């Protein structure tokens, strides 16, 4: 007789052997590995670093520009000169040289406040990069969590199939024993063998799916895809999520909505930069230069000069073919589009949350129902197996009870997994995906 104790022993033995042979990968550890190794997260992190490097007063045009120049010109000429008093002089291969070098400083001190708007825009672009990184991290945590609990589901099904194989083997042994003493036909033995082989086939396919899913998780974690491991044996589901709380969180921290809001601010700052074209631009300039000139023929054969130069330039665009007006109009339309995108994202987010929450509620109820069904199916199989041993029911009735149990077990694990997927989806939309 197979009792509840035997099932527990089989279950614990299976889990114990798995844990001894393989590394147990916790969900928290899997997420940490993904955050460190995942390629998409690395790329998004580098983009944020680029955005951070771009945020500077120099990049916004607020700082002076300092440049150094040096020029050295030389020449050989055949020269013939006639002076005003009528005298002439000539020289072949006369060498001339002109050496000049110096430092120049230019500083735009006013450009219609364009530089200030530019600096703010660079800061907003940094925030946009950080928001995109957050979205990438949330997506990858979601991928890791989903794949991890899919493995847990498959592992539970493997345990159930392992139990089923034990029962099918015992059924075959009973059939062979009954056949040997003349209490059963050869057909009963053959049916037991066929059903056992069917269970083995199902187990092999399930193992293949389980192995491929482990490879997929290793790929997401950006580590050796052949690395073997096992996972936890349960799927904890938070059944206390509230739609209103999720809506509030989504309004504050959903990355896609945050990105749209930042895009609107970027567009507004772009308009400010364009409007700066209506103001004059004032720049200061100064420099120090040295000039050394040599000539083998002429009134002055050598000249050396040093000095400081300084001044300012001011410019104002008066008319440029309505280019200014056109650019401002386009910038305003881009702001309008950004506002529409925010409203569109809000509606889409609200719709996604409502849909996901309804699926979540349904899956929670299905989990409770399938849990009860599994307990009933298990009790039914225990009773049926006892009756089968004493020959009061047919092989078909026993197989039906056995299949009902394994199907109920699979449906329960699938219901748990679907409920977990709904929970993950809701938290991801709310920008609040945590390990639960």
């Amino acid at each position: 007789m197979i009792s509840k104790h035997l099932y527990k022993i089989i279950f614990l033995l299976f889990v114990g052997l798995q844990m001894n042979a393989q590394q147990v990968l916790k969900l928290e550890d899997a997420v940490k590995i993904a955050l460190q190794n995942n390629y998409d997260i690395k790329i998004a992190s580098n983009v944020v670093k680029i955005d951070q490097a771009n945020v500077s007063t120099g990049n916004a045009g607020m700082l002076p520009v300092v440049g150094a120049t040096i020029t050295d010109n030389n020449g050989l000429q055949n020269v013939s000169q006639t002076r005003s008093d009528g005298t002439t002089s000539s020289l072949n291969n006369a060498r001339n040289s002109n050496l000049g070098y110096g430092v120049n400083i230019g500083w735009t001190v006013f450009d219609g406040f364009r530089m200030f708007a530019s600096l703010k825009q660079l800061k907003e672009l940094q925030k946009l990069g950080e928001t995109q990184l957050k979205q990438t991290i949330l997506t990858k945590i979601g991928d890791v969590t989903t794949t991890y609990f899919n493995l847990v589901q498959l592992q539970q099904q493997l345990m159930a199939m392992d139990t089923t194989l034990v029962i099918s083997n015992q059924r075959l042994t009973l059939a062979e024993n009954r056949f040997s003493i003349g209490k059963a036909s050869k057909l009963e033995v053959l049916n037991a063998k066929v059903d056992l082989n069917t269970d083995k086939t199902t187990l092999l396919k399930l193992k293949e799916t389980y192995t491929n899913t482990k490879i997929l998780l290793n790929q997401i974690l950006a580590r050796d895809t052949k690395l073997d491991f096992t996972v936890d044996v349960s799927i904890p589901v938070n059944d206390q999520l509230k739609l209103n709380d999720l809506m509030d969180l989504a309004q504050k921290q959903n990355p896609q909505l945050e990105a749209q809001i930042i895009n609107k601010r970027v567009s507004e700052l772009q308009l400010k930069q364009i409007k700066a074209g209506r103001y004059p631009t004032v720049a200061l300039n100064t420099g120090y230069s040295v000039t050394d000139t040599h000539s083998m023929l002429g009134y002055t054969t050598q000249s050396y000069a040093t000095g400081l130069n300084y001044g300012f330039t001011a410019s104002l665009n008066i008319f440029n073919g309505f280019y200014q007006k056109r650019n401002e109009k386009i910038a305003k339309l881009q702001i309008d589009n950004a506002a529409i995108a925010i409203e569109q994202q809000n509606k889409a987010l609200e719709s996604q949350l409502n849909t996901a929450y309804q699926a979540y509620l349904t899956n929670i109820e299905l989990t409770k129902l399938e849990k009860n069904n599994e307990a009933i199916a298990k009790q039914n199989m225990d009773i049926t197996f006892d009756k089968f041993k004493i020959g009061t029911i047919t092989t078909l009735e026993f197989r039906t009870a056995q299949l009902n149990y394994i199907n109920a077990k699979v449906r329960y694990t699938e219901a748990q997994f679907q409920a977990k997927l709904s929970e993950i989806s809701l938290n991801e939309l709310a920008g609040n995906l945590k390990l639960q």
Side-chain angles (χ1 to χ4, degrees):
M1 175 179 179
I2 293 187
S3 64
K4 294 180 180 179
H5 297 294
L6 179 56
Y7 290 125
K8 290 180 180 178
I9 292 172
I10 294 171
F11 177 81
L12 293 174
L13 179 61
F14 181 87
V15 175
L17 289 174
Q18 289 286 326
M19 290 185 175
N20 288 332
Q22 301 167 342
Q23 171 197 3
V24 179
L25 179 65
K26 299 292 184 181
L27 177 59
E28 294 84 352
D29 296 331
V31 171
K32 289 178 182 177
I33 294 170
L35 293 177
Q36 293 173 355
N37 296 347
N38 184 267
Y39 299 118
D40 291 335
I41 293 177
K42 285 183 176 181
I43 292 172
S45 297
N46 284 336
V47 171
V48 171
K49 292 177 182 177
I50 293 172
D51 292 335
Q52 289 173 343
N54 280 330
V55 178
S56 65
T57 52
N59 198 28
M62 292 183 172
L63 299 181
V65 177
V66 180
T69 59
I70 182 170
T71 304
D72 185 12
N73 293 318
N74 298 277
L76 292 175
Q77 296 176 326
N78 296 327
V79 181
S80 177
Q81 295 180 345
T82 301
R83 299 183 179 88
S84 58
D85 60 2
T87 61
T88 62
S89 61
S90 60
L91 180 64
N92 291 331
N93 295 322
R95 182 176 180 181
N96 302 314
S97 66
N98 186 2
L99 175 64
Y101 53 90
V103 177
N104 298 297
I105 301 175
W107 189 7
T108 301
V109 293
F110 182 76
D111 62 353
F113 307 105
R114 180 185 288 111
M115 63 182 73
F116 297 99
S118 178
L119 181 61
K120 290 180 180 179
Q121 188 181 61
L122 290 171
K123 291 179 179 178
E124 291 298 329
L125 290 174
Q126 178 186 339
K127 292 179 183 177
L128 182 61
E130 291 169 351
T131 301
Q132 290 168 344
L133 172 60
K134 179 182 176 182
Q135 177 64 59
T136 302
I137 290 174
L138 279 175
T139 301
K140 291 308 167 185
I141 291 178
D143 292 344
V144 170
T145 308
T146 298
T147 308
Y148 185 90
F149 283 114
N150 189 22
L151 277 174
V152 175
Q153 171 198 213
L154 292 170
Q155 186 169 268
Q156 290 177 344
Q157 292 179 14
L158 282 171
M159 294 174 184
M161 282 305 304
D162 189 69
T163 302
T164 298
L165 278 178
V166 172
I167 296 171
S168 295
N169 273 307
Q170 290 192 351
R171 174 191 165 195
L172 176 60
T173 301
L174 285 173
E176 289 174 340
N177 290 338
R178 291 170 63 180
F179 174 73
S180 65
I181 60 176
K183 288 188 176 182
S185 65
K186 183 67 174 178
L187 182 61
E188 183 176 323
V189 176
L190 294 175
N191 283 334
K193 287 183 178 179
V194 169
D195 290 339
L196 176 61
N197 289 335
T198 299
D199 292 340
K200 288 181 178 178
T201 300
T202 302
L203 181 62
L204 284 173
K205 290 181 179 179
L206 195 58
K207 285 182 176 180
E208 179 187 3
T209 304
Y210 180 70
T211 301
N212 288 339
T213 307
K214 285 202 291 187
I215 293 172
L216 175 61
L217 182 56
N218 280 329
Q219 178 186 342
I220 296 173
L221 300 183
R223 62 181 191 172
D224 187 358
T225 56
K226 298 187 293 296
L227 190 62
D228 202 7
F229 62 93
T230 187
V231 293
D232 288 330
V233 295
S234 62
I235 303 178
V237 179
N238 180 6
D239 59 358
Q240 301 299 317
L241 296 179
K242 304 298 181 184
L243 181 58
N244 289 337
D245 295 340
L246 293 167
M247 287 285 189
D248 291 340
L249 286 172
Q251 289 296 319
K252 297 175 183 176
Q253 56 191 32
N254 177 270
Q256 292 176 318
L257 183 58
E258 285 181 14
Q260 295 297 349
I261 294 171
I262 293 172
N263 280 329
K264 184 173 181 291
R265 291 201 293 264
V266 169
S267 297
E268 291 169 346
L269 291 167
Q270 184 64 31
L271 176 60
K272 287 185 177 182
Q273 292 182 64
I274 293 173
K275 283 185 174 180
R278 293 185 177 273
Y279 295 88
T281 300
V282 179
L284 303 179
N285 56 80
T286 184
Y288 185 85
S289 61
V290 176
T291 304
D292 187 7
T293 304
H294 294 267
S295 175
M296 296 182 69
L297 186 66
Y299 288 106
T300 304
T301 60
Q302 182 177 356
S303 174
Y304 182 82
T306 63
L308 179 70
N309 61 80
Y310 55 89
F312 77 94
T313 59
S315 62
L316 175 64
N317 173 44
I318 298 176
F319 180 74
N320 61 355
F322 302 108
Y323 183 81
Q324 178 71 27
K325 185 177 180 180
R326 183 176 67 251
N327 281 349
E328 288 182 14
K329 183 178 180 180
I330 292 172
K332 289 177 181 178
L333 289 172
Q334 289 174 336
I335 293 174
D336 290 341
N337 281 342
I340 293 171
I342 292 174
E343 184 178 354
Q344 182 184 35
Q345 186 62 43
N346 265 317
K347 293 297 183 183
L349 186 57
E350 182 181 349
S351 175
Q352 291 169 347
L353 278 169
N354 277 302
T355 302
Y357 194 74
Q358 289 304 313
Y360 166 76
L361 293 177
T362 300
N363 289 325
I364 291 294
E365 291 301 316
L366 285 174
T367 300
K368 296 176 182 177
L369 180 62
E370 294 299 345
K371 181 179 181 180
N372 186 48
N373 284 340
E374 183 200 5
I376 295 172
K378 184 176 182 301
Q379 183 181 8
N380 180 58
M381 189 186 68
D382 290 341
I383 295 171
T384 304
F385 190 70
D386 290 339
K387 289 184 177 181
F388 177 74
K389 287 179 65 177
I390 60 177
T392 58
I393 62 170
T394 65
T395 300
L396 179 60
E397 289 174 315
F398 171 76
R399 182 61 177 175
T400 300
Q402 186 184 20
L403 290 177
N404 284 340
Y405 168 70
I406 187 62
N407 289 335
K409 182 69 177 177
V410 169
R411 287 198 307 271
Y412 177 47
T413 58
E414 288 179 347
Q416 286 180 299
F417 180 55
Q418 291 302 319
K420 192 64 182 180
L421 287 184
S422 298
E423 177 192 334
I424 293 169
S425 177
L426 285 170
N427 283 316
E428 188 173 345
L429 287 170
N432 193 45
L433 189 56
K434 298 179 180 178
L435 304 181
Q436 299 180 14

